[in-house]
Structure formats: C-alpha cells, structure tokens
Amino acid sequence: MNQTFKAAIKGLVATAGLGIALGSAQAQTVLKFGFGLNLQAHYGVGAVYMRDNIEQRTGGRYKIELFPNFALGGEREMTEGAQLGTIDLVTTSSGPVGNFVPDTLITDIPFLFRDYAHARSVLDGKIGQAILDKCTAKGLICLAWSENGFRHLTNSKREVAAPADAKGLKIRTMENPVHMTAFRTIGVLPTPMAFPEVFGALQQGTVDGQENPIGVITSSKLFQVQKHLTLTGHLYSPAVTLMSPAAYNKMSEADRKTIRDLAREAAAISRKRVEQQEAEGIEMLRKEGMQVKTLSTDEKVAFQKAMAPAYKEFAAKFGQANIDAIRDAK
Ligand code: EAX
C-alpha cells in the first residue's frame, strides 16, 4: 500500500475517532453539593461516595462539586438555596427542614425512635417515603433519608443527671419548633440558632449548652467549649439528602433514578460512619477533658417523662395515630 493511501486512511480514522468522541461528550452538568461538617464526618463520606460515582453512573453527563463545612451557609440557608436553585444538592439534618416541609417535623419528636434499627426501618419504609414525597409540593426534591444520629446534651455549667439539673440552662437548639417545645417543657431556655454560630455562642457564653450527636460534637470540636456531656439520646436526628427541582427536572428519567439510588447508597455509608463516630467518639471526648455522664434506663426514662406534657401538643399537631404508627413500628 503506497504512503499517500496509508496517510489518507490514518486521517480518516483520526477524524472518525474525534467525531465519536465529540458526539458522546454531551455538555457535562456540574452539581453543587452543600453540607455541614468536614469530609470525614457522616455527611461528608456520603457526599464523597456520590461525587466519586455519579460520572460513571450517568455516562459522564453529571459531575458533583463538594462544598463541605457549611461553606454554602447553615442548613436552613442551604435548603433555601435548593428551593431557589442556587444550590443543586444538600444533605441537612431534618432540624430546619420542618420550616419548609412541616410533615418532616414528626420525625423530630423526642424519644420517638427506640434505636437506630427502628429509625432506619421506619424512614426507609412506607412512612418515611410518604414524608419524603411531601417535599415536592414545597419546592424541594427529597431524594433519601440520611442520618445525623441520636442527640446528646452538653453544657459548660454543671453535670446534668436528671431533668431538674437542666432547669434554667440556656441551650442552643436547632431552628425546630418540636425541639424547642420539648426543651421548654423541662425548664430549659431554648435558643434556636444555625449551627455555624454555635461554637462562637458557646465560647462567649451566649448559651450554656447545646445538643447534638457524638459525630457532630467531635468533628466540630465542641469539647473545646463544653465541659459536660450527658448521654441523653433524647431524640433521633434524621438527615435528608435533597435536590433542587431546577436541577432535578432537567434530568432524564434514568439519571433521576441514578441520583436517587446514589443518595440511598450514600445514606448507608453515612449511617455506618455515625455508628463508628459514636463508638470511638465518647472515649475521645473523655480524653479531651469532657465529663461524660452515662444515664441508666430509669434516668433516661425520667427525661422522657419530664417531656411528656409536650406530647399533648405533638399529638394535636401530628395526630396520635401517626405518632403511634411510628412508635409501634417493628
Ligand atoms: O447537621 O444544627 C445542628 O445541630 C445539626 O445537628 C448539625 O448542623 C449537623
């Protein structure tokens, strides 16, 4: 075969290859993903999983850019950003979500969930899906339940072993009316605040304490500004991975299914991290100088009983039957 012909063949093959490459390289969409805490904490490990898998799972059509550490604002602000379309993906605790989707507030009732297995089974089942579906009418696409964890009480003033010990303490709560009612019922002065302001407020003594899962307390180094930890486990804090309808509605059916699958798979990774943080974190907090008070079952029940008057309000708000359906779920 003469040289000219060979060169012509090579040219043809190169052009064809380029054509295929360009044809398959649809414009790639980059999704901005905001969440709190660092990449090693429970939301971060889930978000990294979604980032590392979305390109392959969508044939290169989507890429995720991560914004950890509340870089895009507090959880309420990020949720609003998803509604407005300025943020594409958010993982947030359920705390502030109730201000947008009131149906999620039932999951924030203290002592509603027995343990992690109970909470995950309810949220991943029909009851949980029905709540996620309520997001759409409120301008949010809630892809999956993730997890923040059981919350415990910290303060800088004194050991809290019983509800009476907490009386009069100024405790930061999330911007969540159910949490505020519960704490007010035991004589605490609830101060709602976005999480990025919490460390400073504790440092300045604007509030005496706060309540959060172990993974939040350790990853945010709250042990530097809190002396006492009481393992109340007073409520299970779900998290939600949600999406902006502006981004979601542009997706093909196949890519919508992919992003929902990825959010569920990421939640499983986050849940494992929550358990790991809890298993390792309490000892770490002791080593960092916190006085850790473990409660007996009776002592925990005392907190539940002290919050009982709030249950009348919760029953009126959510319906006793709905509360029982969750509480009694296996
Ligand atoms: O989602 O605000 C809170 O206390 C949350 O637990 C924290 O932002 C992690």
Side-chain angles (χ1 to χ4, degrees):
M1 191 189 303
N2 69 34
Q3 287 310 320
T4 317
F5 186 62
K6 252 190 200 170
I9 293 290
K10 267 190 187 161
L12 271 175
V13 168
T15 313
L18 180 63
I20 292 166
L22 286 176
S24 64
Q26 266 181 348
Q28 186 178 61
T29 303
V30 180
L31 299 173
K32 280 169 70 175
F33 193 164
F35 50 93
L37 314 175
N38 58 42
L39 287 180
Q40 295 71 38
H42 41 297
Y43 303 148
V45 292
V48 163
Y49 172 84
M50 290 183 75
R51 177 200 65 191
D52 291 351
N53 287 277
I54 192 164
E55 286 186 80
Q56 185 265 326
R57 297 268 284 271
T58 61
R61 290 182 294 279
Y62 286 89
K63 186 178 165 149
I64 283 177
E65 201 177 338
L66 301 182
F67 294 84
N69 297 309
F70 300 103
L72 300 181
E75 293 180 331
R76 181 182 183 133
E77 213 177 332
M78 288 192 281
T79 305
E80 203 161 22
Q83 254 186 349
L84 296 170
T86 54
I87 303 176
D88 302 306
L89 279 164
V90 176
T91 293
T92 169
S93 76
S94 62
V97 178
N99 300 293
F100 301 88
V101 188
D103 291 89
T104 64
L105 285 168
I106 192 171
T107 69
D108 296 320
I109 293 176
F111 298 105
L112 179 66
F113 294 105
R114 294 186 295 277
D115 52 32
Y116 282 112
H118 175 213
R120 294 164 183 173
S121 161
V122 168
L123 295 176
D124 292 350
K126 280 194 296 207
I127 293 175
Q129 188 54 53
I131 297 172
L132 291 180
D133 292 345
K134 300 281 187 186
C135 293
T136 312
K138 301 293 184 184
L140 292 166
I141 303 292
C142 291
L143 301 172
W145 289 103
S146 185
E147 185 168 272
N148 195 14
F150 276 95
R151 301 176 78 94
H152 305 288
L153 180 66
T154 69
N155 84 88
S156 57
K157 296 281 185 200
R158 54 182 178 262
E159 180 182 86
V160 171
D165 300 333
K167 208 171 170 59
L169 287 176
K170 282 183 292 181
I171 300 293
R172 176 269 174 177
T173 68
M174 293 201 277
E175 298 149 292
N176 181 296
V178 170
H179 293 182
M180 293 174 69
T181 299
F183 276 101
R184 204 176 284 121
T185 305
I186 63 170
V188 158
L189 308 170
T191 310
M193 190 186 297
F195 191 75
E197 298 160 37
V198 173
F199 190 95
L202 292 168
Q203 200 168 37
Q204 289 144 32
T206 314
V207 289
D208 303 318
Q210 64 87 49
E211 42 85 53
N212 247 297
I214 298 298
V216 176
I217 299 169
T218 52
S219 61
S220 305
K221 299 187 172 18
L222 297 185
F223 50 83
Q224 292 178 347
V225 288
Q226 293 284 262
K227 183 75 187 152
H228 300 278
L229 166 64
T230 304
L231 297 175
T232 48
H234 53 277
L235 66 88
Y236 170 80
S237 185
V240 186
T241 296
L242 51 88
M243 193 165 187
S244 149
Y248 183 79
N249 294 340
K250 286 181 193 145
M251 288 182 138
S252 67
E253 278 308 316
D255 288 341
R256 291 178 189 179
K257 181 181 182 309
T258 296
I259 195 88
R260 285 181 184 276
D261 291 346
L262 285 171
R264 281 192 204 98
E265 293 159 24
I269 293 169
S270 296
R271 288 168 173 173
K272 279 202 177 68
R273 185 70 182 121
V274 165
E275 291 179 0
Q276 187 189 25
Q277 288 168 160
E278 217 163 68
E280 297 165 359
I282 295 170
E283 195 43 43
M284 180 258 205
L285 293 171
R286 281 200 178 92
K287 288 204 174 94
E288 292 290 352
M290 288 197 85
Q291 306 290 320
V292 179
K293 170 71 184 160
T294 303
L295 297 181
S296 66
T297 307
D298 289 351
E299 286 171 324
K300 274 198 178 188
V301 168
F303 277 90
Q304 188 170 356
K305 283 190 175 145
M307 289 185 177
Y311 279 83
K312 284 195 199 69
E313 186 178 317
F314 299 148
K317 198 179 177 90
F318 303 110
Q320 190 58 53
N322 294 322
I323 295 173
D324 293 345
I326 292 176
R327 178 171 285 133
D328 301 340
K330 292 293 166 254

